[in-house]
Amino acid sequence: MTHTTRPMRAGEKQGVSYHFETDETFNQLHFFEHITYGSYQYGSSREALNLAWKKNDLVSLIVDIKGIYSYINQLKDKVYFLYITTSTKEELKERLLKRGDDPAKIKERLSGSELNALPEDLKPYAHVLVNDDLSKTKNALDQLVASFH
C-alpha cells in the first residue's frame, strides 16, 4: 500500500486506495521510495509493506519508475516488477481527464519525456503490460497472478 499527501478522489477510501497522509505524518514514515508529483508526495513505506505481508503472501504496490531500483536492490527475489503503460501519452492524458484530474496537474505530470520510457537497465527485471484494452489487460494480469500460486 502506498502513501500520498494528495486529497482523496471521489470513490477512494483511506487505507484501501492509499494511505492518505498529511505532510507531517508522511515525513515520519520509512520509505523504500518516494517522489513528488506536482505539489503532492507519494511513496511506499516499510511499515505498509510489512503490514500487508502479515495479511497476504502476495502484495502489489504502485511505485514510481525510479523507486523500483530500491525494491530490486533491497528485496531481491521477493520482487516481481510489472510495468503497466499505455501506447501513447495522449491515451494516458484522456484517461486522467476522464477520472477527473485537474488539467494543469495532468500537463505537469505528462511534461516528463521519460514518462512512458522503461530504462534499459530495468528491462531485464520488467514484465510489460500495455494497457490499451482493459479487458485484455485484466485477463493478462489474472493469468500472471495465477502463475504465482
Side-chain angles (χ1 to χ4, degrees):
M1 179 65 66
T2 53
H3 304 263
T4 184
T5 59
R6 74 161 170 77
M8 271 189 259
R9 295 184 187 112
E12 290 183 323
K13 294 181 181 176
Q14 174 67 283
V16 175
S17 307
Y18 283 95
H19 292 289
F20 292 93
E21 308 285 348
T22 64
D23 285 331
E24 183 178 297
T25 61
F26 189 92
N27 291 330
Q28 294 174 2
L29 297 166
H30 301 90
F31 290 101
F32 281 100
E33 55 86 30
H34 61 84
I35 191 160
T36 301
Y37 283 122
S39 57
Y40 302 121
Q41 297 182 78
Y42 294 81
S44 50
S45 72
R46 291 184 181 275
E47 293 88 347
L49 182 60
N50 288 335
L51 181 63
W53 269 337
K54 286 180 182 178
K55 296 177 183 178
N56 299 290
D57 61 347
L58 182 62
V59 175
S60 65
L61 299 169
I62 299 171
V63 179
D64 179 84
I65 193 71
K66 294 174 185 169
I68 194 61
Y69 291 98
S70 294
Y71 283 93
I72 290 170
N73 290 334
Q74 294 179 46
L75 298 177
K76 312 283 187 226
D77 63 344
K78 292 182 181 179
V79 173
Y80 186 88
F81 173 33
L82 179 61
Y83 183 75
I84 302 175
T85 188
T86 57
S87 293
T88 66
K89 279 188 178 184
E90 189 57 39
E91 174 67 24
L92 180 55
K93 178 181 176 183
E94 289 302 314
R95 290 181 188 183
L96 296 173
L97 285 168
K98 285 180 184 176
R99 79 175 187 188
D101 285 19
D102 179 300
K105 296 288 184 192
I106 294 171
K107 184 176 182 182
E108 190 176 318
R109 179 176 177 176
L110 298 179
S111 66
S113 62
E114 75 285 346
L115 178 70
N116 282 334
L118 178 62
E120 287 296 319
D121 60 338
L122 286 179
K123 287 183 179 180
Y125 302 100
H127 180 89
V128 179
L129 281 180
V130 177
N131 183 15
D132 286 340
D133 179 305
L134 183 58
S135 179
K136 288 180 182 177
T137 303
K138 183 183 179 311
N139 288 337
L141 186 56
D142 287 346
Q143 290 176 4
L144 179 63
V145 170
S147 73
F148 291 134
H149 294 292

